[in-house]
């Protein structure tokens, strides 16, 4: 039995598979099993996987009828035998010592899950280290991350924001996932399957730890990625409902009441433009109609956009009003920024005048002293 189970769902990834699998199999940490679940690929992905399986006994290939990314992950997890679990995407890559550093951190801290930094990759460009997903070294300055844990209460911002949902940006203790087996199940044949899993893992973990290094290379140029698919936008409604259900069932609904409404408004509006349809707009309108916004403590920008939806007749009408709304916000921001800059210049000018005045006073005193002598 391996210590770490790496679970990799695969669908039409022939252009990335060799690089991705090699980045796992050449890891400095060798005690692993790599469970590859082919989700009925129509390209040569399955053949590539079987070739790796023949060459390396640590690779296990499972082929199944198409159930989506979530269904493939669920299948992989059922076959996982390791003490720790890592969900890996088949178009990405790991840095050579990634699994070793994850393992050392989770064992030294006895944590339920580990977070780490992610580099972004676009074909033909150098790796981008500017947006690491979890820049927790800035949040917890001066900490020894080999002996430091925290909970969701310390990093609440990272729970509901869409920039942090990816499960491949976390490393899990299997015992923790098994403890909440009815919760840690991915939705099948749907997009945005990471969202509920991520939120659940963050709020339920008794201890979270962090590796202050870049361990993962995220490929942003894969046009076959499910996140690039514009036809699956309606799935977000089910995802939002599942998050609300999660909070209710785990008793976190009151604590996250305001955060959830912000999350709901943001998520439903975020995909409005790429959905680009009255069908999507009408569904958002119906959902917003059920919200009494005055019952929640949310920023004005959320209230403003919520009201814009309810004041619009259709998607085209909303598109016109949201453009005006954003322009006014930008004008307001520019005015505020301009005012702040003006005040800053005034303050600097005042300080400069005082320094000149002080300098002149010293010169006069020196001149007076000379005349007296």
């Amino acid at each position: 039995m391996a210590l770490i189970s790496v679970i990799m769902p695969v669908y039409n990834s022939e252009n990335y598979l060799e690089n991705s699998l090699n980045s796992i199999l050449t890891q400095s940490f060798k005690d692993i099993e790599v469970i590859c679940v082919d989700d009925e690929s129509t390209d040569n992905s399955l053949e590539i996987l079987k070739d790796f399986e023949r060459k390396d006994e640590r690779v296990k290939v499972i082929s199944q009828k198409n159930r989506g990314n979530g269904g493939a992950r669920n299948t992989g997890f059922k076959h996982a035998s390791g003490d720790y679990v890592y969900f890996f995407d088949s178009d990405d890559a790991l840095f050579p010592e990634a699994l070793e550093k994850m393992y050392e951190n989770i064992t030294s801290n006895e944590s339920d899950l580990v977070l780490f930094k992610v580099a972004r990759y676009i074909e033909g460009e150098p790796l981008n280290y500017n947006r690491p997903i979890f820049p927790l070294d800035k949040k917890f300055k001066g900490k020894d991350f080999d002996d430091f844990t925290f909970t969701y209460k310390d990093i609440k911002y990272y729970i509901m924001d869409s920039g942090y949902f990816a499960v491949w940006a976390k490393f899990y203790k299997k015992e923790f996932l098994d403890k909440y087996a009815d919760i840690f199940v991915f939705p099948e044949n749907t997009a945005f399957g990471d969202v509920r899993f991520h939120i659940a893992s963050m709020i339920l973990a008794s201890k979270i730890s962090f590796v202050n290094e870049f361990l993962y290379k995220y490929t942003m140029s894969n046009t076959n990625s499910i996140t690039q698919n514009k036809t699956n936008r309606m799935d977000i409604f089910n995802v939002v409902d599942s998050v609300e259900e999660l909070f209710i069932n785990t008793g976190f609904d009151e604590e996250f009441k305001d955060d959830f409404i912000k999350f709901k408004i943001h998520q439903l509006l975020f995909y409005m433009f790429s959905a680009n349809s009255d069908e999507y707009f009408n569904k958002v309108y119906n959902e917003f109609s059920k919200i009494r916004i005055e019952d929640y403590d949310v920023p004005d920008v959320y209230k403003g956009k919520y009201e814009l939806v309810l004041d619009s007749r259709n998607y085209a009408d909303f598109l016109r009003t949201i453009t005006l709304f954003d322009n006014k916000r930008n004008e307001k921001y520019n005015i505020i920024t301009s005012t702040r800059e003006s005040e800053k210049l005034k303050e600097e000018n005042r300080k400069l005048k005082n320094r000149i005045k002080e300098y002149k006073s010293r010169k006069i005193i020196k001149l007076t002293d000379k005349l007296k002598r």
Side-chain angles (χ1 to χ4, degrees):
M1 185 180 76
L3 271 174
I4 298 175
S5 297
V6 179
I7 298 169
M8 185 173 76
V10 177
Y11 180 75
N12 290 353
S13 303
E14 62 178 2
N15 294 331
Y16 303 92
L17 268 181
E18 186 171 348
N19 181 62
S20 295
L21 274 169
N22 280 329
S23 80
I24 299 173
L25 297 174
T26 57
Q27 286 287 300
S28 58
F29 192 95
K30 304 297 183 185
D31 193 5
I32 64 174
E33 62 176 359
V34 186
I35 305 170
C36 305
V37 184
D38 181 75
D39 198 44
E40 208 171 8
S41 294
T42 57
D43 64 1
N44 292 318
S45 292
L46 184 57
E47 287 73 20
I48 295 170
L49 292 176
K50 287 182 176 178
D51 186 48
F52 271 94
E53 186 178 34
R54 284 191 292 270
K55 294 176 181 177
D56 195 318
E57 62 181 9
R58 296 175 298 171
V59 178
K60 301 175 183 178
V61 177
I62 300 169
S63 183
Q64 67 176 29
K65 291 291 183 182
N66 187 269
R67 288 162 49 198
N69 204 37
R73 283 173 175 163
N74 290 336
T75 297
F77 186 72
K78 286 177 184 175
H79 288 82
S81 62
D83 293 335
Y84 302 93
V85 173
Y86 182 60
F87 296 101
F88 179 75
D89 275 8
S90 59
D91 54 353
D92 297 329
L94 288 174
F95 284 88
E97 297 180 350
L99 293 178
E100 181 180 355
K101 291 179 185 298
M102 294 177 201
Y103 176 77
E104 287 176 349
N105 184 278
I106 203 168
T107 52
S108 66
N109 285 300
E110 298 182 342
S111 52
D112 291 325
L113 69 94
V114 175
L115 310 176
F116 47 85
K117 292 181 177 180
V118 173
R120 297 164 193 266
Y121 172 70
I122 296 176
E123 192 172 350
E125 297 183 12
L127 282 173
N128 184 344
Y129 296 94
N130 295 329
R131 295 163 58 201
I133 296 190
F134 294 109
L136 296 181
D137 51 317
K138 296 179 180 178
K139 167 76 175 174
F140 302 114
K141 292 182 179 178
K143 296 295 183 182
D144 175 8
F145 290 108
D146 291 327
D147 186 26
F148 178 73
T149 62
F150 46 93
T151 70
Y152 77 90
K153 291 181 182 292
D154 302 303
I155 53 167
K156 231 176 172 185
Y157 171 78
Y158 296 98
I159 298 173
M160 305 291 287
D161 191 283
S162 56
Y164 313 102
F165 293 152
V167 295
W168 41 254
K170 295 117 191 153
F171 182 71
Y172 304 91
K173 181 189 291 183
K174 190 171 186 292
E175 182 183 357
F176 165 61
L177 299 181
D178 288 338
K179 181 179 178 181
Y180 302 99
D182 57 330
I183 292 175
F184 288 121
V185 179
F186 291 97
E188 302 191 358
N189 288 314
T190 185
F192 319 114
D194 291 12
V195 178
R196 182 178 177 274
F197 200 101
H198 156 80
I199 294 172
S201 68
M202 296 289 271
I203 63 175
L204 294 174
S206 60
K207 286 201 260 183
I208 304 171
S209 56
F210 173 65
V211 177
N212 187 23
E213 293 186 52
F214 287 89
L215 303 183
Y216 194 85
K217 301 174 187 177
Y218 169 49
T219 302
M220 301 180 68
S221 50
N222 181 7
T223 55
N224 291 322
S225 170
I226 194 168
T227 58
Q228 304 291 340
N229 189 341
K230 306 302 182 186
T231 64
N232 54 28
R233 297 323 190 195
M234 299 297 285
D235 291 345
I236 194 63
F237 293 95
N238 291 332
V239 170
V240 169
D241 288 343
S242 73
V243 171
E244 183 175 28
E245 180 185 343
L246 168 70
F247 283 138
I248 293 170
N249 292 342
T250 54
F252 285 92
D253 50 320
E254 188 59 32
E255 181 178 351
F256 284 91
K257 181 181 75 169
D258 297 329
D259 297 286
F260 173 74
I261 291 300
K262 287 190 290 185
F263 163 83
K264 182 171 185 175
I265 293 172
H266 174 75
Q267 291 298 317
L268 297 188
L269 287 179
F270 184 80
Y271 297 104
M272 179 86 82
F273 303 104
S274 56
N276 194 31
S277 70
D278 279 330
E279 179 189 11
Y280 187 96
F281 170 83
N282 291 335
K283 200 164 174 66
V284 174
Y285 184 95
N286 290 334
E287 288 297 319
F288 282 14
S289 298
K290 302 172 188 176
I291 300 172
R292 281 172 46 89
I293 199 68
E294 61 271 20
D295 293 342
Y296 302 94
D297 181 17
V298 297
D300 289 341
V301 64
Y302 289 91
K303 292 178 182 177
K305 292 186 177 182
Y306 157 88
E307 290 166 357
L308 282 181
V309 170
L310 297 182
D311 288 341
S312 300
R313 294 168 306 217
N314 51 42
Y315 175 64
D317 191 27
F318 170 76
L319 204 55
R320 284 190 294 272
T321 53
I322 193 65
T323 302
L324 291 171
F325 177 82
D326 285 338
N327 286 342
K328 286 181 180 179
R329 281 189 68 229
N330 289 336
E331 286 175 10
K332 184 178 178 181
Y333 172 79
N334 289 335
I335 290 170
I336 291 171
T337 304
S338 178
T339 302
R340 285 175 179 167
E341 288 298 320
S342 178
E343 292 298 325
K344 186 178 178 181
L345 287 171
K346 285 180 181 178
E347 178 63 18
E348 289 177 355
N349 191 41
R350 185 187 65 79
K351 289 179 179 178
L352 182 59
K353 284 181 177 179
N354 286 338
R355 284 199 295 270
I356 292 172
K357 188 177 179 180
E358 190 177 318
Y359 174 77
K360 286 181 176 178
S361 296
R362 286 201 300 268
K363 293 289 283 184
I364 290 170
I365 291 170
K366 285 182 180 179
L367 182 60
T368 304
D369 288 343
K370 281 184 179 181
L371 290 172
K372 283 180 179 180
R373 288 196 296 268

